[in-house]
Amino acid sequence: MKFSLRKFFRNTLFVISLGFCFVGLNSCESEFTKLVKSEAASGEKYTNLIFDIEMGQTQKDFFTKCWELNKKGLISQGPGNQSVQYDIDSTSTFFPSDKKIQMLFYGVFDENKKIVGMKMKFSYAAWAPWNEDYQSDDLIEQLTKDLLKPYPGNEFIDFDTKDPDHPAKVKVDGDRQIQMFILDDRFVELRIENTLLKYNL
């Protein structure tokens, strides 16, 4: 598959615009604004991110936990040593899947090196440009259901990005927001954030 500079910039601009869309609560989606505020007002707190890594822990805690998981053979280094890789299959404790999925994840840290969120990227292990059953548009629909196991609560809802090539989903529970969108034909990106911090509530 040839690299398309035009497509790269289009995807980059989409990610930037989506960020502004979620930051500007009052400018993008009034119903979403109400949802975020009502969930925040519930007082429910969600700190767990993945593998007992939690909001508020230090960057050192994150690395220590990943080192322990790596020793157990549960995770490995992601491509370019820029993320952590976890392979999901039918025996996965995160959520089981008959189609093998590669998940890359890495913590989001504030200026004090405290964890304030998590970024994840999913793709089918058998992905290929010509393999129609393993594209990101199928994957995001699967994740919409499967991620309710590790992150129970409200269901994912559609979020209008005004871009049909990049449909997005969002799920808000208490002070936790999980947003998920199609990055390209292969990858689905996911971000877990604290709404109280993100929107200064």
Side-chain angles (χ1 to χ4, degrees):
M1 176 182 288
K2 293 183 178 180
F3 175 76
S4 170
L5 187 60
R6 182 177 182 181
K7 187 173 183 180
F8 170 77
F9 280 116
R10 184 178 180 184
N11 289 341
T12 302
L13 287 172
F14 165 75
V15 173
I16 294 172
S17 64
L18 182 64
F20 281 122
C21 195
F22 277 103
V23 169
L25 268 178
N26 293 320
S27 64
C28 235
E29 191 84 19
S30 60
E31 289 303 314
F32 178 71
T33 303
K34 294 175 184 177
L35 174 63
V36 169
K37 290 183 177 180
S38 67
E39 286 295 323
S42 72
E44 293 291 331
K45 305 292 183 182
Y46 294 87
T47 60
N48 186 54
L49 294 167
I50 187 173
F51 300 129
D52 296 324
I53 298 170
E54 298 191 351
M55 294 279 196
Q57 291 181 331
T58 65
Q59 190 176 56
K60 182 180 179 181
D61 293 331
F62 175 79
F63 291 142
T64 298
K65 184 63 178 179
C66 290
W67 182 77
E68 293 172 353
L69 293 168
N70 183 264
K71 279 187 64 178
K72 295 177 181 178
L74 296 176
I75 64 169
S76 59
Q77 292 181 351
N81 199 22
Q82 298 296 310
S83 59
V84 181
Q85 179 172 325
Y86 176 68
D87 296 322
I88 299 169
D89 58 23
S90 60
T91 65
S92 170
T93 56
F94 186 55
F95 67 80
S97 174
D98 292 333
K99 292 181 177 180
K100 291 185 178 181
I101 297 172
Q102 180 189 84
M103 178 178 73
L104 307 174
F105 69 90
Y106 201 79
V108 178
F109 306 96
D110 65 11
E111 64 276 6
N112 297 314
K113 296 185 177 180
K114 293 290 184 68
I115 301 175
V116 294
M118 186 71 66
K119 288 186 178 180
M120 301 176 180
K121 189 183 288 187
F122 298 86
S123 64
Y124 283 123
W127 177 86
W130 56 85
N131 199 336
E132 295 183 0
D133 294 330
Y134 292 86
Q135 301 298 305
S136 57
D137 54 350
D138 288 323
L139 178 57
I140 196 171
E141 295 303 326
Q142 178 181 344
L143 292 173
T144 296
K145 301 173 183 177
D146 290 342
L147 286 170
L148 293 178
K149 180 187 177 185
Y151 305 112
N154 296 320
E155 295 184 353
F156 282 92
I157 60 175
D158 293 329
F159 191 89
D160 187 6
T161 63
K162 310 300 181 184
D163 185 345
D165 291 332
H166 296 280
K169 308 276 188 179
V170 65
K171 168 178 163 60
V172 183
D173 304 285
D175 65 345
R176 179 187 66 196
Q177 173 181 292
I178 303 177
Q179 62 188 69
M180 178 169 58
F181 57 90
I182 289 179
L183 188 61
D184 54 28
D185 293 340
R186 180 177 181 180
F187 290 106
V188 172
E189 186 164 313
L190 181 146
R191 300 173 187 174
I192 305 176
E193 298 170 286
N194 182 293
T195 58
L196 304 183
L197 295 176
K198 186 176 181 67
Y199 303 120
N200 297 315
L201 297 177

